[in-house]
């Protein structure tokens, strides 16, 4: 076996000799390349926290939205712990809160923090109300955030809401609160006084083994019972409507509660979420259970199913609101805000869903399933083809230099450890992958090390499908525990990482433990961060691995947040980062910080590139020991193409060649031109 192609690629040519008489002058150097991120293949949507225009923005499980009279949309971006604003032109910005920080702090827009924003409402004067955990917060037009309610009837200081809660407002500036746990509807006046509008606290419920069994009870407001209020709307007459589990309930201005929808309709409904009302008194809600439908109820309670020109399936959509012009705005917890006007198709206003799949195609039409993948490496061959271990599809994919994606081996959705030709082979947990100079691929696959010939024949080189543990031996007599990264050294040895050890497989298939503590069974003592002699060293879920021409080995010690080096003599040192101290600092040695480094690639100049997954960036560890960030920005999640640094989302697999990095991120493969 020859040195891994991904190590050799990226070399620059040596210096040119001096021109002599009669020799034509050297051609002009090529034009400077643009440092940028471009898409090679796949889809780059999904969760994130990126502000921007339209589909370029990213959200993280948004759960509710509201529209103000000017056409601005406000979004409860729940897992970003923020409130986002979408202008009428589609520009997304973060109004309040800070991504990644879950706190409950009042103050101005810059200093305010939210812990669990789940619902939003806007009143006629521009105040934005946020259901934040068990509290109600208010964002004023002047940009001040304060806590205005915490529950029980009375003033702020007497209150404690149960939450989660849903909100709406009326023309008089009153705020209405539907509490899922207490199962009643509350009303807060503009002066901040909270009262119970309808429903008994904790409803008409019987508890069996601690689980409530609640029933809907119509009648007077004080005696009524609700099951699960999950949406509120108010008509022009002041009647309040509630999306309550499987029914639409009405609280009349005379204080009577009734069920608007029919019993037969309720029998076909899985679970309602969200409620809005148009100028004609028609109610719209989402059936979010097994049906994933958009429903319409007339003022008389007649139900119909609303379809868009391009879809009848509203999977993922959780809440909705309508503006005076009759446009519905829908929030999809998978990261998209959409609009729907009568008789038209569903249109994306902001965000992009993640899209997984198995499709072989060119560029953006291809689909991968790399979500939550621990892929630690990809491979380039001499022809410029890229190979990806598509872990959750159980396949090995090939991407040509032009972006054509094909499935080289394995069958999508079919896990196993079968050897054979191409689609007849089966993989269980393909993660690391490396290519040799002859075009053979080697794959770290769960507990096996596999080989794929250029013709597509898959065989098992080492490990035993029925045996977990790090035991040395020859071929199938050896075992592995949770294989991750794989590489080749200059002598043709395969190097692999397991949960606690670095293992070596010689060309004659002898497996030995190179560094760390092998685990015949799971042992906490095998984990740690210890430098020194190879057998005394300790690692904590090392993933990416690569070797240089001098025989030194570099390891991304992921859960230790460090980059380690193993010399040819077997001495283990920490090159950069500090064990157990996750961070995002550039600098040299222990001044640098990483956060879950995964993939590694080495160029011919001795620069080491690292996919720093937890920081959503690609870092460079130069040959003089300095760490710098070359792409992505710590704290910003979501892929944005264009000039560097750009943004990335949990990058993992990494290969390099000719000044280009190939990185898997957000179910797509991007090229980073350095």
């Amino acid at each position: 076996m020859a040195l891994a192609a991904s190590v050799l690629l990226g070399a620059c040519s040596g210096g040119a000799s001096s021109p002599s008489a009669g020799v034509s002058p050297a051609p002009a150097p090529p034009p400077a390349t643009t440092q940028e991120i471009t898409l090679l293949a796949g889809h780059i949507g999904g969760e994130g926290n990126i502000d921007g225009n339209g589909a370029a923005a990213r959200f993280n499980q948004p759960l509710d939205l509201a529209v103000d009279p000017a056409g601005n949309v406000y979004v409860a971006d729940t897992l970003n712990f923020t409130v986002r604003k979408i202008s009428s032109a589609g520009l997304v910005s973060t109004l309040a809160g800070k991504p990644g920080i879950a706190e409950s702090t009042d103050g101005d827009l810059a200093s305010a923090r939210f812990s669990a924003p789940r619902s939003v409402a806007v009143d006629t004067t521009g105040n934005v109300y946020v259901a934040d955990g068990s509290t109600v917060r208010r964002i004023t037009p002047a940009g001040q955030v304060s806590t205005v309610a915490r529950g029980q009837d009375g003033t702020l200081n007497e209150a404690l809401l149960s939450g989660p809660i849903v909100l709406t407002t009326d023309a008089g500036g009153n705020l209405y609160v539907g509490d899922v746990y207490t199962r009643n509807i509350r009303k807060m006046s503009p002066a901040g006084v909270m009262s119970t509008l309808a429903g008994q606290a904790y409803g008409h419920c019987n508890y069996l083994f601690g689980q409530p069994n609640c029933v809907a009870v119509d009648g007077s407001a004080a005696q009524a019972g609700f099951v699960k209020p999950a949406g509120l709307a108010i008509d022009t007459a002041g009647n309040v409507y509630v999306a309550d589990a499987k029914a639409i309930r009405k609280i009349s201005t005379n204080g009577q509660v009734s069920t608007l929808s029919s019993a037969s309709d309720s029998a076909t409904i899985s679970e309602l979420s969200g409620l809005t009302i148009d100028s004609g008194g028609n109610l719209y809600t989402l059936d979010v259970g097994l049906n994933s439908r958009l429903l319409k109820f007339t003022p008389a309670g007649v139900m119909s199913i609303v379809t868009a020109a391009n879809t009848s399936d509203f999977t993922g959509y959780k809440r909705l609101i309508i503006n005076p012009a009759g446009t519905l705005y829908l929030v999809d917890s998978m990261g998209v805000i959409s609009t729907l006007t009568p008789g038209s198709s569903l249109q994306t206003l902001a965000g992009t869903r993640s899209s997984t799949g198995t499709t072989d195609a060119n560029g953006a039409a291809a689909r991968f399933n790399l979500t939550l993948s621990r892929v630690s490496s990809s491979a380039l061959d001499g022809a410029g083809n890229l190979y990806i271990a598509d872990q959750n599809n159980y396949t090995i994919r090939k991407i040509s230099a032009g972006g054509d994606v094909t499935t080289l081996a394995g069958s999508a959705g079919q896990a196993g450890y079968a050897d054979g030709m191409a689609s007849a082979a089966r993989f269980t947990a393909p993660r690391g992958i490396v290519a040799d100079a002859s075009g053979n691929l080697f794959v770290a696959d769960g507990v096996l090390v596999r080989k794929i010939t250029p013709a597509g024949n898959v065989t098992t080189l080492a490990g035993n499908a029925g045996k977990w543990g790090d035991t040395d031996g020859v071929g199938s007599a050896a075992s592995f525990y949770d294989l991750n990264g794989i590489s080749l050294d200059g002598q043709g040895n395969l190097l692999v990482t397991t949960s606690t050890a670095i293992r070596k497989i010689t060309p004659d298939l002898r497996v030995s433990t190179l560094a760390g503590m092998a685990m015949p069974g799971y042992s906490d003592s095998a984990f740690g961060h210890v430098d020194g002699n190879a057998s005394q060293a300790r690692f904590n879920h090392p993933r990416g691995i690569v070797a240089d021409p001098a025989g030194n080995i570099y390891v991304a010690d992921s859960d230790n947040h460090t980059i380690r080096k193993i010399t040819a003599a077997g001495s283990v040192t920490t090159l950069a980062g500090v064990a157990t101290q996750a961070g995002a600092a550039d600098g040299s040695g222990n001044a640098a910080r990483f956060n879950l480094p995964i993939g590694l690639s080495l160029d011919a100049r001795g620069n080491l590139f690292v996919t720093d997954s937890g920081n959503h960036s690609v870092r460079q560890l130069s040959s003089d020991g300095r760490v710098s960030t070359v792409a992505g920005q710590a704290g910003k999640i979501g892929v944005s193409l264009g000039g560097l640094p750009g943004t990335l989302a949990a990058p993992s697999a990494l290969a390099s060649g000719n000044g280009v990095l190939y990185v898997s991120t957000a179910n797509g493969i991007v090229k980073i031109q350095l």
Side-chain angles (χ1 to χ4, degrees), residues 39-47 354-360 363 366-379 386-399 405-407 412-413 428-433 443-444 543 598 611 613 616 639 649-655 662-671:
L39 178 67
L40 177 62
H43 189 267
I44 53 173
E47 67 184 38
S354 174
S355 181
T356 62
T358 64
T359 306
D360 286 340
R367 291 294 180 268
F368 300 88
N369 193 355
L370 303 170
T371 305
L372 301 178
S373 176
R374 289 185 292 167
V375 168
S376 57
S377 59
S378 53
L386 183 72
Y387 299 88
I388 294 289
D390 195 353
Q391 179 181 339
N392 297 318
N393 277 328
Y394 314 113
T395 55
I396 306 302
R397 313 288 292 279
K398 176 182 177 181
I399 311 173
V405 179
T406 55
T407 300
T428 292
R431 292 172 185 155
I433 186 169
V443 182
R543 289 179 179 153
I598 292 182
T611 48
S613 181
H616 309 282
V639 181
S652 57
L654 175 66
Y662 298 84
V663 177
S664 66
T665 177
N667 278 309
I669 312 300
V670 298
K671 294 169 61 178

Side-chain angles (χ1 to χ4, degrees), residues 510-529:
R510 294 183 178 276
V511 179
S512 61
T513 300
L514 190 64
M517 181 177 180
M519 290 198 303
Y522 192 90
S523 171
D524 287 340
S525 63
F527 294 91
H529 189 282

Side-chain angles (χ1 to χ4, degrees), residues 17 107 117 135 269 335:
S17 60
T135 65
I269 292 172

Side-chain angles (χ1 to χ4, degrees), residues 197-200 203-204 215-226 249 255 257:
L197 179 69
Q200 293 186 352
H204 293 261
V215 296
V217 176
D218 290 337
S220 68
Q223 296 300 317
F226 295 88
R249 314 286 299 285
V257 177

Side-chain angles (χ1 to χ4, degrees), residues 144-238:
Q144 290 297 310
V145 179
S146 60
T147 301
V148 296
R150 297 193 185 95
Q152 301 172 359
D153 291 350
T155 61
L156 170 64
N157 293 333
E158 299 173 359
L160 179 63
L161 283 169
S162 295
I165 49 187
V166 291
L167 305 175
T168 194
T169 59
D170 66 14
N174 297 293
L175 178 72
Y176 296 81
V177 181
D179 193 323
V180 173
Y181 289 159
T182 60
R183 296 177 174 82
N184 58 5
I185 311 303
R186 321 290 292 285
K187 178 180 178 180
M188 189 179 76
S189 72
V193 177
M194 184 79 77
S195 61
T196 298
L197 179 69
Q200 293 186 352
Y202 300 102
H204 293 261
C205 303
N206 295 315
Y207 289 82
L208 182 63
F209 302 113
Q211 298 299 313
N213 178 28
C214 304
V215 296
V217 176
D218 290 337
S220 68
Q223 296 300 317
F226 295 88
V227 177
K228 188 179 181 181
L232 297 173
I234 302 171
D235 66 18
T236 55

Side-chain angles (χ1 to χ4, degrees), residues 108-132:
D108 59 24
L109 295 180
S111 60
R113 300 289 181 265
F114 295 85
S115 61
R118 297 177 64 92
S119 183
V120 289
V122 183
D123 69 16
T124 54
T125 61
N127 293 298
V128 178
Y129 292 91
V130 184
D132 186 29

Side-chain angles (χ1 to χ4, degrees), residues 163-519:
I165 49 187
V166 291
L167 305 175
T168 194
T169 59
D170 66 14
N174 297 293
L175 178 72
Y176 296 81
V177 181
D179 193 323
V180 173
Y181 289 159
T182 60
R183 296 177 174 82
N184 58 5
I185 311 303
R186 321 290 292 285
K187 178 180 178 180
M188 189 179 76
S189 72
V193 177
M194 184 79 77
S195 61
T196 298
L197 179 69
Q200 293 186 352
Y202 300 102
H204 293 261
C205 303
N206 295 315
Y207 289 82
L208 182 63
F209 302 113
Q211 298 299 313
N213 178 28
C214 304
V215 296
V217 176
D218 290 337
S220 68
Q223 296 300 317
F226 295 88
V227 177
K228 188 179 181 181
L232 297 173
I234 302 171
D235 66 18
T236 55
N239 299 298
V240 178
Y241 299 87
V242 184
D244 186 31
K246 297 186 176 186
I248 302 296
R249 314 286 299 285
K250 178 180 179 180
I251 308 171
S252 301
T253 54
N254 63 5
Q256 291 295 306
V257 177
S258 59
T259 299
L260 180 67
S261 57
S262 69
S264 59
D265 289 336
S266 296
T268 67
I269 292 172
S270 297
E271 181 182 349
L272 299 180
S273 181
L275 191 65
T276 191
I277 191 167
D278 68 15
S279 58
N282 298 295
L283 293 157
Y284 298 84
T285 185
L286 290 158
D287 186 1
V288 298
L290 298 176
N291 297 321
S292 300
R293 305 176 299 176
L294 174 60
L295 304 179
K296 174 183 177 181
F297 290 87
T298 68
V302 178
M303 187 185 86
S304 60
I305 299 172
V306 181
T307 60
N310 58 341
T311 185
S312 60
D313 181 3
F314 288 82
T315 299
Y317 288 95
K318 297 299 183 185
R319 301 276 174 80
L320 70 175
I321 196 74
I322 198 166
N323 70 7
T327 299
L328 279 170
Y329 295 77
L330 301 100
V331 62
D332 175 359
S333 63
M334 297 169 72
V336 170
I337 313 302
S338 300
T339 61
L340 179 62
T341 55
S344 70
S345 60
L346 198 65
Q347 301 290 329
T348 296
L349 176 65
T352 302
R353 266 191 181 190
S354 174
S355 181
T356 62
T358 64
T359 306
D360 286 340
N362 181 267
R367 291 294 180 268
F368 300 88
N369 193 355
L370 303 170
T371 305
L372 301 178
S373 176
R374 289 185 292 167
V375 168
S376 57
S377 59
S378 53
L380 278 165
D381 66 15
N385 298 301
L386 183 72
Y387 299 88
I388 294 289
D390 195 353
Q391 179 181 339
N392 297 318
N393 277 328
Y394 314 113
T395 55
I396 306 302
R397 313 288 292 279
K398 176 182 177 181
I399 311 173
S400 72
D404 289 319
V405 179
T406 55
T407 300
L408 178 67
S411 182
Q414 298 188 36
Y417 281 125
D419 290 338
M421 283 295 297
S423 61
R426 295 292 179 268
F427 298 86
T428 292
R431 292 172 185 155
I433 186 169
V434 69
D436 69 12
S438 300
N440 298 295
L441 298 175
F442 302 90
V443 182
D445 181 28
V447 296
L448 301 181
V449 176
R450 320 286 293 279
K451 177 181 178 180
I452 309 174
T453 67
N457 187 40
V458 179
T459 56
T460 298
L461 297 182
N464 189 313
K467 185 178 181 182
W468 284 67
D470 287 333
T471 55
D472 294 338
V474 178
S476 60
S479 66
F480 300 93
Y481 191 92
D482 198 28
L483 283 163
N484 281 293
I486 189 168
S487 187
L488 279 158
D489 68 14
Q491 288 70 50
N493 301 301
L494 282 167
L495 308 169
V496 296
T497 59
T498 66
S499 291
T500 60
I502 313 302
R503 315 285 298 286
K504 181 172 78 172
I505 307 165
T506 62
D508 62 359
L509 304 185
R510 294 183 178 276
V511 179
S512 61
T513 300
L514 190 64
M517 181 177 180
M519 290 198 303

Side-chain angles (χ1 to χ4, degrees), residues 449-664:
V449 176
R450 320 286 293 279
K451 177 181 178 180
I452 309 174
T453 67
N457 187 40
V458 179
T459 56
T460 298
L461 297 182
N464 189 313
K467 185 178 181 182
W468 284 67
D470 287 333
T471 55
D472 294 338
V474 178
S476 60
S479 66
F480 300 93
Y481 191 92
D482 198 28
L483 283 163
N484 281 293
I486 189 168
S487 187
L488 279 158
D489 68 14
Q491 288 70 50
N493 301 301
L494 282 167
L495 308 169
V496 296
T497 59
T498 66
S499 291
T500 60
I502 313 302
R503 315 285 298 286
K504 181 172 78 172
I505 307 165
T506 62
D508 62 359
L509 304 185
R510 294 183 178 276
V511 179
S512 61
T513 300
L514 190 64
M517 181 177 180
M519 290 198 303
Y522 192 90
S523 171
D524 287 340
S525 63
F527 294 91
H529 189 282
V530 178
D531 288 337
N533 178 270
S535 62
Q536 296 173 337
R538 294 292 179 268
F539 299 85
N540 192 354
H541 291 101
R543 289 179 179 153
I545 185 169
V546 69
D548 69 16
N552 299 298
I553 298 168
Y554 304 89
V555 178
D557 196 1
S558 293
D559 286 6
N560 277 324
H561 314 295
T562 56
I563 306 301
R564 314 286 291 279
K565 177 182 178 180
I566 308 170
T567 68
S571 176
V572 179
T573 57
T574 299
L575 282 184
V578 176
T580 73
Q581 294 188 25
D586 288 339
S588 297
N590 59 14
R593 294 291 184 275
F594 295 88
N595 188 355
L596 293 176
I598 292 182
L600 292 181
S601 187
L602 191 68
D603 72 11
R605 299 179 181 89
N607 297 305
L608 190 67
F609 295 94
V610 184
T611 48
D612 195 7
S613 181
N615 282 323
H616 309 282
S617 60
V618 176
R619 317 284 294 281
Q620 176 181 308
L621 175 56
S622 64
S623 56
D624 62 3
R626 292 179 296 107
V627 175
S628 59
T629 301
V630 298
Q633 302 173 59
K636 292 190 176 182
I637 308 169
V639 181
S640 55
L641 304 177
L644 295 181
T647 57
L648 300 169
S652 57
L654 175 66
S656 64
N658 299 321
V660 177
L661 301 178
Y662 298 84
V663 177
S664 66

